[in-house]
Amino acid sequence: MTARPAPPRISPAGSPSLIASTYFPEPLLQFANDGLHIDPKAGIARYGPRSWTASGRHPARLRVGLIGTAELVEAARTWMSSRAEGVRGDLNNPEFPGWMADRGFFSSLEFDDAWNEELGQTELRQVLEIKSQKDRFHAALTLFEAKFRQLAERDSVPDYVVIALSDQIVTRCGTADYTGKETGAVHRDLRRALKASAMKFRIPTQIVRAPTLDGRDRTPPSRIAWNFFTAMYCKAGGYPWSPYGLTPGTCYVGIGFYRPLGSADATMQTSLVQAFDARGEGLVLRGHEFEWDPNKTGSRSPHLTADGAHQLMALVLDRYEAAMKQTPARIVVHKTSRYWPDEREGFRAAIESRVRRYDLMALEVQSRVRLITTSKYPPLRGTRFTFGDLDYLYTTGYISALNEFHGMHVPAPLQVADHVGQDSSRDALLKEVLALTKLNWNSAALGGLLPITIKFSGLVGEIMREIPADREPLPQFKFYI
């Protein structure tokens, strides 16, 4: 095992370090008819979603299936129908324009009892009365899987299914923690397990809880509607917006890791890849299993061997070429830990055999280094500063173009802890990182802390844990969000 590299030196001993600072304007997004705006909500309200006029993938109508008790099925249908007409905003939350044929997402919802599966009181009671937490969780999952199967076997199948969860199901079956001789300690989450189960039947799903339907959720109604219907549009096959100005022909790759479900070996890890093209369309890929012992390696963050890194990057290129029908002209790889020498060489060898230009970046979430402003506002999102050999980028902060701050805490910048390849300028790479923070189609938020390449690593990894090794996970992102 290669020894862990020393951390980068900020400056030579005894020499002062100067802070150089620049500002990157808020990246633009592209909407229908090539309309441009920095804000997803304003862009959709003004122009409509990107794929309405751009890709031929616009869902002009959406057949919605519902799973839940009879009462919750009706409540979910009523809630969706009313919110689809539009939701008033307030001082801090813009109006939701609706999901209608003539405005908003320019689509219509279709409901039919044939696309619904109701949970009977008897079968629910049989699940809820089970005393063992493990057995109760499995019984609930089995019940929902039976409903997925029944929907999938219909002559007419819904495009998208909303799962309405009662308070009892969430309380009694929402999670399960148990220990087995072969599995070790196991934590299960019903939401993640339902996503993995529905994937067997190629059904995109959205889970909605009773407090959302009956008004107990105190989140502003227009914000709920924006997030719900934006994610729904993605799951229906469209894409709400696309980045503007990313380098064409580039494949943006995020590397993550997770521990397989039911593995008693605490050192076992599985690699995870998220790959995106310059339009924001993505793939999810499961890599190979490998052992990683923090006590032996001196690092809690897993790292790949040279062969493992080579195999993983070859898998990315194979799948990307199959899906996109072309070889990328450029590869940009993001991960949250530094590249160890063997890992770096494996990635490099696999990429250089097929792609001419590449950059490997390590983006570390940290709170040790911050800028202190002289005003009452936090630093601007898009502020980049350099301290010695290290670059920092504020991907959260005050948004000057909107005169708004969307965060709840004092923002801290990302640290660029590693950069291998040098085929692109650091400025260009950081601008891309900022743009990629705006590609979370699971909500209508303006941006986030991490680029999409690594933002969903934890979420996707938890769903991947629920997919057995002998079943190939679906690559489309809509099944994971």
Side-chain angles (χ1 to χ4, degrees):
M1 179 64 66
T2 303
R4 184 179 184 180
R9 296 177 64 187
I10 293 179
S11 61
S15 65
S17 293
L18 299 177
I19 297 178
S21 178
T22 55
Y23 170 72
F24 300 134
E26 187 63 41
L28 289 165
L29 299 173
Q30 201 161 22
F31 301 89
N33 294 310
D34 298 327
L36 298 175
H37 205 284
I38 65 168
D39 186 1
K41 299 183 182 73
I44 289 175
R46 181 176 299 181
Y47 304 108
R50 175 63 177 160
S51 57
W52 179 37
T53 59
S55 70
R57 284 175 34 183
H58 173 68
R61 62 188 183 93
L62 183 64
R63 297 178 299 183
V64 179
L66 299 164
I67 296 177
T69 63
E71 182 180 3
L72 284 178
V73 162
E74 183 58 34
R77 179 171 178 166
T78 300
W79 184 87
M80 292 181 67
S81 298
S82 66
R83 300 310 188 269
E85 296 178 0
V87 181
R88 288 184 178 180
D90 55 36
L91 290 176
N92 299 315
N93 298 278
E95 175 185 358
F96 174 65
W99 181 289
M100 304 297 288
D102 62 347
R103 63 184 185 275
F105 282 88
F106 293 94
S107 181
S108 58
L109 300 179
E110 295 185 3
F111 298 94
D112 193 301
D113 290 343
W115 302 328
N116 299 341
E117 277 295 329
E118 294 183 357
L119 302 175
Q121 292 302 312
T122 299
E123 55 190 358
L124 265 181
R125 186 170 59 253
Q126 290 173 345
V127 170
L128 295 173
E129 289 179 351
I130 296 174
K131 293 184 178 181
S132 164
Q133 186 185 57
K134 174 184 176 182
D135 294 340
R136 190 168 60 246
F137 182 93
H138 280 281
L141 185 58
T142 299
L143 175 59
F144 279 104
E145 185 163 318
K147 303 302 180 183
F148 294 145
R149 181 176 289 105
Q150 289 164 7
L151 285 178
E153 292 174 351
R154 301 274 171 82
D155 291 334
S156 177
V157 179
D159 302 310
Y160 161 89
V161 172
V162 173
I163 306 167
L165 296 182
S166 67
D167 293 336
Q168 280 185 309
I169 285 289
V170 172
T171 301
R172 297 279 291 159
C173 309
T175 59
D177 294 280
Y178 53 89
T179 303
K181 292 182 179 179
E182 297 181 358
T183 62
V186 174
H187 173 75
R188 304 287 299 276
D189 180 280
L190 186 60
R191 178 198 173 277
R192 301 161 185 164
L194 289 175
K195 292 284 182 182
S197 177
M199 205 181 298
K200 294 181 185 178
F201 308 100
R202 306 188 71 88
I203 298 176
T205 59
Q206 176 66 45
I207 294 172
V208 61
R209 295 184 177 182
T212 300
L213 302 178
D214 61 25
R216 283 178 288 153
D217 187 337
R218 306 316 300 169
T219 305
S222 66
R223 187 188 304 173
I224 294 176
W226 268 115
N227 292 340
F228 183 92
F229 286 95
T230 298
M232 186 170 78
Y233 190 79
C234 172
K235 295 172 186 182
Y239 50 102
W241 58 84
S242 60
Y244 179 75
L246 290 182
T247 306
T250 299
C251 175
Y252 299 93
V253 179
I255 306 293
F257 305 97
Y258 66 94
R259 192 164 74 86
L261 184 69
S263 173
D265 185 355
T267 67
M268 189 62 67
Q269 297 284 337
T270 302
S271 51
L272 169 70
V273 179
Q274 302 175 96
F276 296 83
D277 68 7
R279 294 174 299 178
E281 295 193 69
L283 300 171
V284 177
L285 307 174
R286 178 172 62 190
H288 57 282
E289 290 188 355
F290 63 100
E291 290 190 12
W292 184 260
D293 190 333
N295 295 324
K296 293 181 180 179
T297 60
S299 172
R300 296 179 59 186
S301 300
H303 292 265
L304 298 167
T305 63
D307 287 344
H310 193 287
Q311 292 175 17
L312 191 62
M313 189 52 61
L315 173 66
V316 173
L317 291 170
D318 289 344
R319 295 289 183 87
Y320 184 91
E321 290 171 359
M324 308 302 179
K325 310 303 180 187
Q326 63 180 1
T327 300
R330 173 174 172 255
I331 292 281
V332 176
V333 181
H334 294 156
K335 61 196 281 291
T336 56
S337 58
R338 298 188 67 208
Y339 295 85
W340 284 18
D342 287 351
E343 192 175 39
R344 180 169 58 240
E345 291 308 311
F347 283 135
R348 178 181 283 164
I351 294 171
E352 289 181 348
S353 67
R354 298 162 72 170
V355 179
R356 293 183 60 185
R357 299 180 61 211
Y358 68 92
D359 291 274
L360 312 180
M361 297 183 70
L363 303 171
E364 180 183 334
V365 177
Q366 60 84 48
S367 59
R368 302 181 302 276
V369 179
R370 286 189 173 99
L371 292 179
I372 304 298
T373 67
T374 57
S375 70
K376 63 180 180 179
Y377 300 109
L380 298 175
R381 170 177 149 89
T383 299
R384 172 266 190 100
F385 64 96
T386 303
F387 187 70
D389 297 329
L390 297 179
D391 266 319
Y392 296 86
L393 176 67
Y394 272 96
T395 53
T396 58
Y398 191 78
I399 302 165
S400 60
L402 300 177
N403 291 322
E404 295 174 356
F405 174 54
H406 293 175
M408 299 293 292
H409 307 285
V410 177
L414 292 179
Q415 175 185 293
V416 181
D418 216 347
H419 177 204
V420 181
Q422 313 297 330
D423 275 335
S424 304
S425 70
R426 189 67 69 91
D427 277 13
L429 289 167
L430 292 176
K431 288 178 181 178
E432 288 180 332
V433 168
L434 195 63
L436 290 168
T437 65
K438 300 172 74 86
L439 289 185
N440 177 9
W441 291 339
N442 200 31
S443 78
L446 181 136
L449 174 64
L450 292 168
I452 193 64
T453 44
I454 49 181
K455 176 177 177 59
F456 285 146
S457 288
L459 173 64
V460 172
E462 292 297 338
I463 296 172
M464 280 282 192
R465 295 180 70 202
E466 296 282 348
I467 302 174
D470 60 356
R471 176 157 65 91
E472 187 68 20
L474 296 180
Q476 295 90 348
F477 251 90
K478 64 182 181 180
F479 295 107
Y480 297 86
I481 62 176

